[in-house]
């Protein structure tokens, strides 16, 4: 699972790198054009201003990097002392045809911007050149900034990809965890019954015995098998609830009537009493909610002489309260009493209250347990009440 998440994150980072790289290249290209454009406009304007005012018979000689070109006679007049050798004739002919041209050229490892502008009404053109050092520095600075921003964005995208990969694989990871937990739970619950069955069968087969000994061994084997079957059934119920595979069949349900039904079930020597209460209706799955209440009652009946059932409305919730007069939950068990396989009193399979919590949470409800000051324990099942039905 970790390898799959790593591969997904790596693939996401690769796609992000390509996309961010393309965007960075476009940003640098567009930014470089925006930086170069003002320099070109200024040089073109200077060349045009010089062409409008220059005296061809007495051109200025103090201009650096400037030339006056006659495209008919090929006469070239340098307007200053300059060692540059741009393609002045090509530029001049281009300016005569198109009035004004701007180009770049390189000489001795340095780049220059050259503009040529035609003199009004003539075949002559002036050519001006200026170094591109400042423009190139600005473009280099832009590249560095874009590179830093792209790197930061790529790191953020990689982090987001890692998070998304982990999140997308979370259902699969949870499914695997549930599977492993289910197998571990099955092994945990079947270990004792299987050991009892093996021991009883081995003892019965060691030597010939009276018929009543075989009956006793078979009774123990049957009890162990029944416990194993009960545990497996509860584990399957719990797995379906936790995986969301048990679809709730919701219908209006009277809690006071449900408690009366559960109180009427036989629970051995323990008295189960349902207190009269107002009619409270919830939207619930009747078999599942009845199972939850029965599980709590059976858990309480194993350690108490009397169990009392009651229901009431608290705020927007309908609350089922199951109280007993037993010893209560051990303090170290109470915070985790709804966890699976937790048997503070040593009775039961350790899954009853865990199933209760899963059933109630499937109904968007909550469970809680506490010990009473006067003795005994109280378990509360809170469910959303139907406001128009109670």
């Amino acid at each position: 699972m970790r390898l799959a998440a790593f591969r997904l994150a790596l693939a996401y980072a690769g796609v992000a790198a390509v996309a961010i790289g393309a965007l960075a290249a476009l940003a640098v290209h567009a930014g470089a054009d925006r930086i170069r454009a003002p320099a070109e406009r200024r040089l073109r304007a200077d060349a045009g201003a010089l062409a409008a005012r220059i005296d061809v018979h007495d051109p200025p000689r103090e201009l650096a990097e400037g030339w006056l070109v006659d495209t008919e006679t090929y006469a070239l007049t340098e307007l200053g002392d300059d060692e540059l050798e741009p393609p002045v004739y090509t530029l001049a002919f281009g300016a005569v045809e198109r009035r004004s041209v701007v180009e770049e050229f390189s000489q001795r490892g340095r780049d220059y911007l050259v503009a040529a502008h035609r003199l009004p009404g003539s075949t002559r053109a002036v050519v001006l050149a200026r170094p591109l050092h400042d423009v190139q520095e600005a473009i280099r600075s832009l590249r560095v900034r874009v590179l830093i921003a792209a790197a930061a964005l790529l790191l953020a995208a990689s982090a987001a990809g890692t998070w998304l990969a982990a999140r997308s694989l979370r259902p699969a990871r949870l499914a695997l965890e549930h599977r492993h937990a289910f197998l571990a739970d099955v092994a945990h619950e079947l270990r004792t019954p299987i050991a009892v069955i093996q021991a009883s069968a081995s003892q019965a087969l060691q030597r010939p015995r009276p018929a009543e000994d075989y009956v006793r061994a078979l009774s123990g084997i049957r009890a162990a098998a029944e416990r194993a079957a009960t545990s497996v059934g509860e584990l399957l119920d719990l797995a379906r609830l936790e995986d969301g595979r048990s679809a709730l069949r919701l219908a209006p349900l009277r809690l006071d009537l449900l408690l009366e039904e559960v109180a009427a079930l036989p629970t051995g020597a323990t008295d189960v009493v349902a207190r009269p209460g107002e009619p409270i209706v919830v939207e619930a799955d009747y078999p599942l909610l009845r199972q939850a209440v029965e599980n709590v009652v059976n858990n309480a009946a194993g350690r108490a002489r009397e169990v009392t059932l009651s229901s009431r409305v608290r705020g927007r919730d309908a609350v089922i309260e199951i109280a007993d007069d037993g010893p209560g939950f051990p303090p170290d068990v109470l915070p985790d009493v709804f966890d699976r396989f937790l048997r503070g009193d040593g009775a039961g399979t350790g899954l009853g209250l865990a199933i209760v919590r899963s059933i109630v949470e499937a109904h968007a409800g909550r469970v809680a347990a506490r010990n009473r000051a006067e003795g005994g324990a109280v378990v509360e099942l809170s469910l959303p009440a139907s406001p128009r039905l109670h």
Side-chain angles (χ1 to χ4, degrees):
M1 192 62 65
R2 290 181 178 178
L3 181 60
F6 174 76
R7 288 177 176 175
L8 279 176
L10 191 62
Y12 184 87
V15 173
V18 173
I20 292 172
L23 290 175
L26 289 174
V28 169
H29 180 73
D33 288 344
R34 293 188 64 178
I35 293 172
R36 189 182 292 107
E40 292 181 359
R41 287 195 298 268
R42 285 194 299 269
L43 185 59
R44 192 188 296 269
D46 291 345
L50 179 60
R53 62 181 173 78
I54 193 171
D55 185 354
V56 297
H57 302 293
D58 186 19
R61 301 289 180 170
E62 70 280 0
L63 293 178
E65 303 167 353
W67 301 265
L68 176 62
V69 182
D70 190 329
T71 58
E72 285 190 351
T73 63
Y74 288 86
L76 177 64
T77 303
E78 294 186 359
L79 305 181
D81 296 330
D82 196 0
E83 297 180 356
L84 289 179
E85 297 178 356
V88 291
Y89 287 104
T90 301
L91 290 166
F93 276 103
V96 170
E97 292 180 1
R98 301 192 296 273
R99 186 182 178 188
S100 178
V101 293
V102 178
E103 292 183 6
E104 293 183 21
F105 88 101
S106 300
Q107 182 176 315
R108 293 190 291 275
R110 298 186 65 183
D111 296 324
Y112 297 86
L113 193 63
V114 186
H117 199 285
R118 183 185 66 201
L119 273 64
S122 72
T123 57
R124 297 182 180 87
V126 294
V127 180
L128 296 180
R130 288 177 184 167
L132 279 172
H133 178 267
D134 293 342
V135 173
Q136 290 175 332
E137 282 296 321
I139 293 175
R140 276 193 290 270
S141 176
L142 172 66
R143 287 197 184 101
V144 170
R145 294 196 303 271
V146 171
L147 180 61
I148 293 174
L153 188 59
L154 181 58
L155 287 175
S158 300
T162 302
W163 180 80
L164 288 173
R167 184 176 179 85
S168 63
L169 291 176
R170 184 179 180 183
R173 186 175 66 253
L174 290 177
L176 287 176
E177 291 176 355
H178 286 162
R179 179 185 177 184
H180 293 160
F182 178 76
L183 293 177
D185 294 344
V186 170
H188 179 278
E189 281 298 293
L190 294 184
R191 186 181 295 115
T192 300
I194 289 176
V196 171
I197 291 172
Q198 288 177 336
S200 299
S202 298
Q203 184 178 6
L205 294 173
Q206 280 180 355
R207 59 182 174 81
R209 297 176 180 275
E212 57 269 17
D213 289 348
Y214 288 114
V215 171
R216 189 180 304 110
L218 290 174
S219 298
I221 291 174
R222 183 178 64 181
E226 289 175 350
R227 174 181 174 182
T230 300
S231 297
V232 171
E234 290 183 338
L235 281 169
L236 290 173
D237 290 341
L238 189 60
R240 283 192 292 267
L241 286 168
E242 291 181 347
D243 292 343
R245 289 184 284 115
S246 286
L248 299 181
R249 298 180 179 179
L250 300 179
L253 176 62
R254 283 268 301 269
L255 292 185
D256 54 322
L257 299 182
L258 173 65
L259 298 185
E260 291 179 4
E261 290 181 12
V262 174
L265 297 175
T267 54
T270 303
D271 293 330
V272 180
V273 179
R275 289 181 179 175
E278 61 177 313
I280 302 172
V281 179
V282 297
E283 293 287 333
D285 186 308
Y286 167 73
L288 285 178
L289 190 56
R290 174 169 171 164
Q291 180 185 356
V293 177
E294 287 182 14
N295 283 5
V296 178
V297 170
N298 291 335
N299 183 78
R303 60 176 185 270
R305 296 185 303 273
E306 184 179 80
V307 179
T308 304
L309 311 181
S310 61
S311 60
R312 69 179 188 277
V313 175
R314 183 174 60 198
R316 296 183 178 180
D317 292 335
V319 180
I320 298 173
E321 184 177 280
I322 298 102
D324 64 67
D325 60 356
F329 295 108
D332 58 330
V333 171
L334 187 57
D336 306 309
V337 73
F338 294 100
D339 290 349
R340 61 179 65 187
F341 301 122
L342 192 63
R343 290 192 288 262
D345 55 3
T349 65
L351 291 171
L353 293 184
I355 293 176
V356 170
R357 180 174 63 181
S358 297
I359 291 175
V360 173
E361 289 180 350
H363 286 79
R366 303 181 308 278
V367 292
R370 71 178 189 276
N371 289 330
R372 298 192 299 176
E374 63 273 21
V378 177
V379 175
E380 289 186 353
L381 315 182
S382 300
L383 301 170
S386 299
R388 291 176 295 180
L389 296 177
H390 74 75

